PDB file of all heavy atoms in Angstrom:
ATOM      1  N   ALA V  71      16.710  50.382 -12.061  1.00 98.00           N
ATOM      2  CA  ALA V  71      16.393  49.105 -11.503  1.00 98.00           C
ATOM      3  C   ALA V  71      15.800  49.278 -10.086  1.00 98.00           C
ATOM      4  O   ALA V  71      14.997  48.550  -9.603  1.00 98.00           O
ATOM      5  CB  ALA V  71      17.537  48.083 -11.514  1.00 98.00           C
ATOM      6  N   ARG V  72      16.392  50.323  -9.405  1.00 98.00           N
ATOM      7  CA  ARG V  72      15.876  50.620  -8.012  1.00 98.00           C
ATOM      8  C   ARG V  72      14.629  51.175  -8.032  1.00 98.00           C
ATOM      9  O   ARG V  72      13.826  50.972  -7.083  1.00 98.00           O
ATOM     10  CB  ARG V  72      16.924  51.493  -7.369  1.00 98.00           C
ATOM     11  CG  ARG V  72      18.216  50.809  -7.003  1.00 98.00           C
ATOM     12  CD  ARG V  72      19.125  51.728  -6.178  1.00 98.00           C
ATOM     13  NE  ARG V  72      20.359  51.062  -5.889  1.00 98.00           N
ATOM     14  CZ  ARG V  72      21.557  51.731  -5.741  1.00 98.00           C
ATOM     15  NH1 ARG V  72      21.528  53.098  -5.931  1.00 98.00           N
ATOM     16  NH2 ARG V  72      22.661  51.047  -5.535  1.00 98.00           N
ATOM     17  N   LYS V  73      14.218  51.956  -9.080  1.00 97.00           N
ATOM     18  CA  LYS V  73      12.992  52.725  -9.089  1.00 97.00           C
ATOM     19  C   LYS V  73      11.754  51.977  -9.644  1.00 97.00           C
ATOM     20  O   LYS V  73      10.658  52.195  -9.207  1.00 97.00           O
ATOM     21  CB  LYS V  73      13.290  53.964  -9.910  1.00 97.00           C
ATOM     22  CG  LYS V  73      13.839  55.119  -9.036  1.00 97.00           C
ATOM     23  CD  LYS V  73      13.562  56.342  -9.766  1.00 97.00           C
ATOM     24  CE  LYS V  73      14.791  57.352  -9.695  1.00 97.00           C
ATOM     25  NZ  LYS V  73      15.010  58.115 -10.975  1.00 97.00           N
ATOM     26  N   LEU V  74      12.057  51.055 -10.588  1.00 96.00           N
ATOM     27  CA  LEU V  74      10.948  50.443 -11.284  1.00 96.00           C
ATOM     28  C   LEU V  74      10.082  49.542 -10.417  1.00 96.00           C
ATOM     29  O   LEU V  74      10.562  48.975  -9.468  1.00 96.00           O
ATOM     30  CB  LEU V  74      11.480  49.659 -12.460  1.00 96.00           C
ATOM     31  CG  LEU V  74      12.121  50.343 -13.637  1.00 96.00           C
ATOM     32  CD1 LEU V  74      12.568  49.321 -14.678  1.00 96.00           C
ATOM     33  CD2 LEU V  74      11.131  51.306 -14.271  1.00 96.00           C
ATOM     34  N   THR V  75       8.774  49.544 -10.843  1.00 95.00           N
ATOM     35  CA  THR V  75       7.988  48.564 -10.073  1.00 95.00           C
ATOM     36  C   THR V  75       7.742  47.422 -11.011  1.00 95.00           C
ATOM     37  O   THR V  75       7.193  47.562 -12.103  1.00 95.00           O
ATOM     38  CB  THR V  75       6.596  49.165  -9.736  1.00 95.00           C
ATOM     39  OG1 THR V  75       6.779  50.449  -9.021  1.00 95.00           O
ATOM     40  CG2 THR V  75       5.648  48.286  -8.944  1.00 95.00           C
ATOM     41  N   ILE V  76       8.176  46.260 -10.563  1.00 95.00           N
ATOM     42  CA  ILE V  76       8.063  45.087 -11.431  1.00 95.00           C
ATOM     43  C   ILE V  76       7.077  44.087 -10.599  1.00 95.00           C
ATOM     44  O   ILE V  76       7.386  43.740  -9.520  1.00 95.00           O
ATOM     45  CB  ILE V  76       9.293  44.424 -11.787  1.00 95.00           C
ATOM     46  CG1 ILE V  76      10.231  45.416 -12.459  1.00 95.00           C
ATOM     47  CG2 ILE V  76       9.200  43.161 -12.637  1.00 95.00           C
ATOM     48  CD1 ILE V  76      11.586  44.948 -12.666  1.00 95.00           C
ATOM     49  N   GLU V  77       5.988  43.626 -11.176  1.00 92.00           N
ATOM     50  CA  GLU V  77       5.098  42.673 -10.574  1.00 92.00           C
ATOM     51  C   GLU V  77       4.786  41.544 -11.410  1.00 92.00           C
ATOM     52  O   GLU V  77       4.730  41.619 -12.677  1.00 92.00           O
ATOM     53  CB  GLU V  77       3.693  43.388 -10.265  1.00 92.00           C
ATOM     54  CG  GLU V  77       3.802  44.578  -9.305  1.00 92.00           C
ATOM     55  CD  GLU V  77       2.692  45.401  -9.445  1.00 92.00           C
ATOM     56  OE1 GLU V  77       2.578  46.193 -10.524  1.00 92.00           O
ATOM     57  OE2 GLU V  77       1.676  45.328  -8.656  1.00 92.00           O
ATOM     58  N   PHE V  78       4.526  40.438 -10.784  1.00 90.00           N
ATOM     59  CA  PHE V  78       3.980  39.242 -11.413  1.00 90.00           C
ATOM     60  C   PHE V  78       2.577  38.999 -11.079  1.00 90.00           C
ATOM     61  O   PHE V  78       2.201  39.128  -9.851  1.00 90.00           O
ATOM     62  CB  PHE V  78       4.818  38.001 -11.069  1.00 90.00           C
ATOM     63  CG  PHE V  78       6.258  38.016 -11.490  1.00 90.00           C
ATOM     64  CD1 PHE V  78       7.221  38.279 -10.564  1.00 90.00           C
ATOM     65  CD2 PHE V  78       6.525  37.888 -12.798  1.00 90.00           C
ATOM     66  CE1 PHE V  78       8.558  38.433 -10.990  1.00 90.00           C
ATOM     67  CE2 PHE V  78       7.866  37.934 -13.208  1.00 90.00           C
ATOM     68  CZ  PHE V  78       8.860  38.202 -12.258  1.00 90.00           C
ATOM     69  N   ARG V  79       1.737  38.834 -12.095  1.00 87.00           N
ATOM     70  CA  ARG V  79       0.284  38.467 -11.741  1.00 87.00           C
ATOM     71  C   ARG V  79      -0.164  37.290 -12.605  1.00 87.00           C
ATOM     72  O   ARG V  79       0.162  37.312 -13.793  1.00 87.00           O
ATOM     73  CB  ARG V  79      -0.654  39.674 -12.200  1.00 87.00           C
ATOM     74  CG  ARG V  79      -0.336  40.912 -11.378  1.00 87.00           C
ATOM     75  CD  ARG V  79      -1.366  42.008 -11.774  1.00 87.00           C
ATOM     76  NE  ARG V  79      -0.714  43.343 -11.488  1.00 87.00           N
ATOM     77  CZ  ARG V  79      -1.204  44.475 -12.018  1.00 87.00           C
ATOM     78  NH1 ARG V  79      -2.249  44.476 -12.921  1.00 87.00           N
ATOM     79  NH2 ARG V  79      -0.647  45.573 -11.836  1.00 87.00           N
ATOM     80  N   VAL V  80      -0.671  36.246 -11.984  1.00 85.00           N
ATOM     81  CA  VAL V  80      -1.174  35.162 -12.696  1.00 85.00           C
ATOM     82  C   VAL V  80      -2.595  35.427 -13.231  1.00 85.00           C
ATOM     83  O   VAL V  80      -3.487  35.697 -12.464  1.00 85.00           O
ATOM     84  CB  VAL V  80      -1.143  33.803 -11.843  1.00 85.00           C
ATOM     85  CG1 VAL V  80      -1.670  32.730 -12.679  1.00 85.00           C
ATOM     86  CG2 VAL V  80       0.217  33.461 -11.428  1.00 85.00           C
ATOM     87  N   GLU V  81      -2.669  35.439 -14.578  1.00 87.00           N
ATOM     88  CA  GLU V  81      -4.060  35.709 -15.192  1.00 87.00           C
ATOM     89  C   GLU V  81      -4.266  34.603 -16.087  1.00 87.00           C
ATOM     90  O   GLU V  81      -3.568  34.402 -17.118  1.00 87.00           O
ATOM     91  CB  GLU V  81      -4.057  37.084 -15.971  1.00 87.00           C
ATOM     92  CG  GLU V  81      -3.909  38.223 -15.010  1.00 87.00           C
ATOM     93  CD  GLU V  81      -3.640  39.621 -15.734  1.00 87.00           C
ATOM     94  OE1 GLU V  81      -3.807  39.709 -16.876  1.00 87.00           O
ATOM     95  OE2 GLU V  81      -3.289  40.551 -15.042  1.00 87.00           O
ATOM     96  N   GLY V  82      -5.494  33.895 -15.855  1.00 83.00           N
ATOM     97  CA  GLY V  82      -5.759  32.660 -16.584  1.00 83.00           C
ATOM     98  C   GLY V  82      -4.608  31.744 -16.093  1.00 83.00           C
ATOM     99  O   GLY V  82      -4.333  31.682 -14.839  1.00 83.00           O
ATOM    100  N   ASN V  83      -3.940  31.111 -17.065  1.00 77.00           N
ATOM    101  CA  ASN V  83      -2.703  30.377 -16.513  1.00 77.00           C
ATOM    102  C   ASN V  83      -1.410  31.031 -17.173  1.00 77.00           C
ATOM    103  O   ASN V  83      -0.450  30.412 -17.307  1.00 77.00           O
ATOM    104  CB  ASN V  83      -2.741  28.883 -16.831  1.00 77.00           C
ATOM    105  CG  ASN V  83      -3.060  28.637 -18.292  1.00 77.00           C
ATOM    106  OD1 ASN V  83      -3.111  29.547 -19.010  1.00 77.00           O
ATOM    107  ND2 ASN V  83      -3.255  27.381 -18.659  1.00 77.00           N
ATOM    108  N   ILE V  84      -1.602  32.396 -17.401  1.00 83.00           N
ATOM    109  CA  ILE V  84      -0.251  32.999 -17.863  1.00 83.00           C
ATOM    110  C   ILE V  84       0.224  33.964 -16.749  1.00 83.00           C
ATOM    111  O   ILE V  84      -0.484  34.594 -15.978  1.00 83.00           O
ATOM    112  CB  ILE V  84      -0.803  34.043 -19.079  1.00 83.00           C
ATOM    113  CG1 ILE V  84      -1.428  33.216 -20.116  1.00 83.00           C
ATOM    114  CG2 ILE V  84       0.425  34.781 -19.563  1.00 83.00           C
ATOM    115  CD1 ILE V  84      -1.958  34.035 -21.307  1.00 83.00           C
ATOM    116  N   ASN V  85       1.609  33.708 -16.679  1.00 85.00           N
ATOM    117  CA  ASN V  85       2.262  34.576 -15.723  1.00 85.00           C
ATOM    118  C   ASN V  85       2.624  35.881 -16.292  1.00 85.00           C
ATOM    119  O   ASN V  85       3.552  36.105 -16.998  1.00 85.00           O
ATOM    120  CB  ASN V  85       3.584  33.776 -15.334  1.00 85.00           C
ATOM    121  CG  ASN V  85       4.191  34.150 -13.968  1.00 85.00           C
ATOM    122  OD1 ASN V  85       3.535  34.059 -12.976  1.00 85.00           O
ATOM    123  ND2 ASN V  85       5.348  34.610 -13.983  1.00 85.00           N
ATOM    124  N   LYS V  86       1.726  36.905 -16.006  1.00 91.00           N
ATOM    125  CA  LYS V  86       1.894  38.245 -16.556  1.00 91.00           C
ATOM    126  C   LYS V  86       2.944  39.050 -15.841  1.00 91.00           C
ATOM    127  O   LYS V  86       3.036  38.960 -14.713  1.00 91.00           O
ATOM    128  CB  LYS V  86       0.533  38.961 -16.637  1.00 91.00           C
ATOM    129  CG  LYS V  86      -0.448  38.286 -17.480  1.00 91.00           C
ATOM    130  CD  LYS V  86      -0.444  38.931 -18.828  1.00 91.00           C
ATOM    131  CE  LYS V  86      -1.429  38.367 -19.805  1.00 91.00           C
ATOM    132  NZ  LYS V  86      -2.426  39.320 -20.201  1.00 91.00           N
TER     133      LYS V  86
END
Side-chain angles (χ1 to χ4, degrees):
R72 286 186 185 147
K73 274 200 225 145
L74 292 181
T75 308
I76 303 170
E77 297 159 284
F78 295 103
R79 299 183 203 160
V80 180
E81 292 172 14
N83 55 5
I84 302 174
N85 203 54
K86 292 268 181 112

